[in-house]
Amino acid sequence: MPNPLYDTLFGQHQGRNTTFLQMADGTTVTHGDFLQLAAQYAGLIVRHGLRPGDRVAVQVAKSPQAVAVYAACVQAGAVFLPLNTAYTADDVYRFAENSGARLILCDGKCSESLQPVAHVCGAALETMNADGSGSFATKAAVLPRTFSTLDRTTDDVAAFLYTSGTTGCAKGAMLTQGNLLSNCRVLAGEWKFTAEDSLLHALPIFHTHGLFVATNITLLAGGKLVFLPKFDLDVMLGLMPQATTMMGVPTFYTRLLDDERFTRETARHMRLFVSGSAPLLAETHVRFEERTGHRILERYGMTETNMNTSNPYDGERRAGTVGFPLPGVEIRITDSSTGATLPQGEIGEIEVRGPNVFKGYWQMPGKTAEALRENGFFITGDLGRIDEDGYLHIVGRSKDMIISGGYNIYPKEIERLLDDEAGVLESAVIGVPHPDLGETVVGILVAEGQAVLDLDGIKRNIGGALARFKHPQRLVVLPELPRNTMGKVQKKELRAQYRDMFMPADPP
Ligand code: MCA
Ligand code: AMP
């Protein structure tokens, strides 16, 4: 029976003895063994009563078993809903509840806090620990190692990825089999992936970059992932000589460059370094080439669209740009207020159309209509311009969002908590430049009347409700927030005022 995503990424490897995953300790998982495990997991998903289209929320550590859950969902026609392991139980509740998840998979350490969530949502709860053990593995182990793949079409939803959005409300972006397939096919072709490739994989697998780009492309091409639980400089340096490609957020590149052990020799075996998820400074691009002789290939994507543009594999990879639209993808630059296409070279809203663009936000026709024009163009919330040679430059964001180490943070979510603190009249949360993370979170507070704010206490109070990576690194008190004549807070001014807060001072 046809299931295009399963057949293309997974089914083609059935019974193969080739290495799919190589772990840091040198142990490996073959394609064939991986697929048998995935089949057992698919069997268990179906035994839980899930039918095609039902959602499986997954908040587990990165492991071969976690990837097998993804494969199992595809094979059983379930919608895979991966969640950042840093999310709090409240976050998981919001996503599980909104999506109507029927099965929640979590680390054994979280089962106590998530049991009530599963109960309220009417979902089953199973555990999967970082080493793959847990109730899910135990129950699956006795099931057949084959599973009759369920029918799907390219228009069926394969995954939900949640984005908080500028209003702080959770939106489930529905990605179809066709979205994921078209994008990985195009990227594998453009970036010349083959079965000979070995990709150094240190990204998390709960986001587009690590899963739908790095993992899908490698599966499609039949190559190998050198599969690391997280970014660890020593491990990366040790294993890079065995790899041919790497994908990373800019923080990976700055951390590598800050270590003198990272040399031309370390990168000698590599053929391609890809960067994305956040802006790569032109300076990093230049330093990287000086050190290794490699030009980083920067590309641009989004949760709702997968990848949109890429610098060329052959041809000039231009620092400070995200390259050209991928084959089949259209980009236009528009006037944010009228939606009219702007003349070439002008700065405006970046809009995207193509087979990569998602189906809409789950059960949110209003939000979907705000983001997706009737003619199919998706309004990205990024500002850019196309230069005379056709390269896209991202020059800023019209959406209020911070990208810290490749993770998106929406200020509204933090401002709400700050505003609720005793003695706080109002707040503004901004992103300021950070040497390691690209941007980091700063909260600006205005006190009520003569109130004296206990900043450490406020940090502690809001901390419990926020995933760690969203915690403000610093809180600052101002007598008032800068506003324009319409009364709108001028975050641009605040960002300018605090732009050097974490940056090393230039040597005199
Ligand atoms: C970890 N911490 C962070 C971040 N990561 N704080 C702010 N921003 C972060 N990104 C905090 C932890 O909460 C912890 O805090 C402390 O740092 C150490 O944690 P650890 O896990 O050791 O952190 P790390 O190893 O230094 O991680 C930094 C990292 C990681 C390697 C940059 O965040 C990462 O792998 N980022 C990649 C994200 C990604 O894949 N983005 C793609 C999204 P404490 O000590 O206080 O507890 S997909 C996307 O954007 C689109 C589609 C695209 O175009 O790709
Ligand atoms: P997300 O919605 O988490 O997938 O994040 C997507 C956002 O990351 C985009 O809208 C951009 O703002 C940003 N982004 C992704 N790739 C790049 C890049 N190469 N340069 C600058 N920003 C990027």
Side-chain angles (χ1 to χ4, degrees):
M1 291 213 213
N3 178 325
L5 190 61
Y6 183 83
D7 301 341
T8 311
L9 297 188
F10 304 105
Q12 59 151 329
H13 302 300
Q14 209 78 52
R16 279 197 195 152
N17 219 351
T18 41
T19 301
F20 169 38
L21 302 171
Q22 178 192 320
M23 312 309 288
D25 64 4
T27 55
T28 57
V29 179
T30 65
H31 284 101
D33 288 349
F34 173 81
L35 291 182
Q36 288 191 359
L37 186 66
Q40 290 181 310
Y41 289 178
L44 185 53
I45 289 171
V46 169
R47 279 189 183 216
H48 268 294
L50 276 83
R51 293 210 292 265
D54 285 344
R55 276 74 59 202
V56 180
V58 181
Q59 190 191 36
V60 300
K62 183 176 174 184
S63 68
Q65 290 81 1
V67 188
V69 174
Y70 163 52
C73 286
V74 179
Q75 193 170 21
V79 174
F80 183 63
L81 195 175
L83 294 169
N84 192 324
T85 44
Y87 286 160
T88 62
D90 281 351
D91 291 330
V92 177
Y93 169 69
R94 280 191 298 145
F95 302 132
E97 201 260 346
N98 181 273
S99 67
R102 298 211 42 208
L103 172 63
I104 301 175
L105 210 55
C106 70
D107 195 290
K109 291 196 291 271
C110 304
S111 66
E112 206 178 308
S113 56
L114 290 183
Q115 192 67 59
V117 171
H119 182 73
V120 174
C121 296
L125 185 78
E126 296 281 5
T127 61
M128 177 173 276
N129 305 316
D131 63 0
S133 65
S135 65
F136 197 71
T138 307
K139 290 178 192 170
V142 296
L143 297 180
R145 290 167 191 272
T146 57
F147 178 86
S148 188
T149 306
L150 295 181
D151 253 357
R152 295 272 84 188
T153 71
T154 48
D155 198 40
D156 284 321
V157 176
F160 275 16
L161 291 185
Y162 271 86
T163 111
S164 281
T166 46
T167 55
C169 99
K171 295 181 291 184
M174 297 186 284
L175 292 152
T176 64
Q177 288 214 347
N179 294 148
L180 302 181
L181 265 180
S182 68
N183 213 234
C184 71
R185 280 190 174 126
V186 162
L187 293 172
E190 291 292 294
W191 298 342
K192 301 195 189 319
F193 271 77
T194 72
E196 303 307 309
D197 273 309
S198 156
L199 187 147
L200 193 55
H201 194 298
L203 287 162
I205 52 168
F206 44 69
H207 277 313
T208 300
H209 198 163
L211 188 64
F212 300 143
V213 184
T215 306
N216 281 2
I217 293 178
T218 304
L219 278 163
L220 181 73
K224 173 174 92 177
L225 295 175
V226 179
F227 201 63
L228 313 176
K230 60 182 291 229
F231 183 91
D232 176 314
L233 200 47
D234 292 339
V235 178
M236 296 291 279
L237 291 170
L239 290 175
M240 193 177 287
Q242 297 177 27
T244 59
T245 61
M246 183 186 104
M247 292 183 190
V249 294
T251 301
F252 284 21
Y253 293 100
T254 49
R255 286 188 184 178
L256 284 167
L257 284 170
D258 285 345
D259 194 306
E260 282 175 2
R261 293 172 298 168
F262 180 58
T263 62
R264 189 171 279 257
E265 187 53 28
T266 326
R268 196 173 56 82
H269 191 242
M270 298 287 282
R271 68 168 184 89
L272 178 66
F273 290 93
V274 177
S275 176
S277 310
L280 183 78
L281 295 179
E283 182 215 334
T284 311
H285 191 97
V286 171
R287 277 177 65 210
F288 199 87
E289 187 174 13
E290 281 168 5
R291 181 85 67 89
T292 65
H294 288 279
R295 286 179 82 83
I296 299 171
L297 184 153
E298 188 172 6
R299 60 34 169 206
Y300 161 55
M302 284 191 72
T303 296
E304 289 90 337
T305 64
N306 287 295
M307 299 303 104
N308 300 316
T309 71
S310 170
N311 267 283
Y313 188 87
D314 299 312
E316 188 197 349
R317 299 179 194 166
R318 197 171 279 185
T321 83
V322 291
F324 308 113
L326 288 165
V329 178
E330 294 168 80
I331 296 278
R332 63 176 195 173
I333 306 291
T334 61
D335 180 316
S336 301
S337 45
T338 64
T341 304
L342 292 172
Q344 187 271 319
E346 287 194 19
I347 293 175
E349 183 82 44
I350 302 173
E351 297 192 13
V352 187
R353 180 164 70 181
N356 53 320
V357 174
F358 76 141
K359 202 172 180 162
Y361 297 112
W362 169 246
Q363 289 183 335
M364 288 187 177
K367 296 272 178 215
T368 303
E370 278 170 26
L372 262 179
R373 294 190 189 283
E374 270 174 20
N375 62 9
F377 272 97
F378 175 72
I379 305 167
T380 60
D382 292 313
L383 299 174
R385 77 177 167 86
I386 296 176
D387 70 20
E388 59 288 359
D389 297 322
Y391 287 83
L392 177 66
H393 299 237
I394 300 178
V395 299
R397 293 173 209 137
S398 59
K399 56 192 167 192
D400 192 13
M401 182 181 90
I402 299 164
I403 308 182
S404 165
Y407 287 148
N408 291 4
I409 299 166
Y410 290 91
K412 196 85 214 152
E413 194 185 340
I414 308 168
E415 288 163 0
R416 274 200 197 130
L417 294 171
L418 290 171
D419 292 347
D420 282 348
E421 285 296 304
V424 174
L425 178 67
E426 59 175 351
S427 65
V429 167
I430 55 168
V432 299
H434 188 274
D436 181 39
L437 298 168
E439 283 182 311
T440 195
V441 181
V442 171
I444 319 287
L445 304 173
V446 177
E448 253 166 2
Q450 300 305 310
V452 176
L453 298 178
D454 165 15
L455 299 184
D456 288 337
I458 292 177
K459 263 189 171 180
R460 267 196 309 277
N461 290 349
I462 65 165
L466 282 177
R468 289 289 304 171
F469 68 88
K470 299 178 187 170
H471 287 201
Q473 286 223 9
R474 207 163 290 174
L475 293 177
V476 176
V477 184
L478 281 186
E480 60 182 11
L481 297 176
R483 292 184 189 274
N484 65 10
T485 45
M486 311 286 287
K488 191 170 181 296
V489 175
Q490 295 302 284
K491 290 199 172 178
K492 211 169 159 184
E493 274 185 34
L494 291 170
R495 283 193 287 266
Q497 188 173 346
Y498 295 107
R499 60 178 302 153
D500 296 328
M501 196 175 221
F502 293 96
M503 297 307 275
D506 284 336

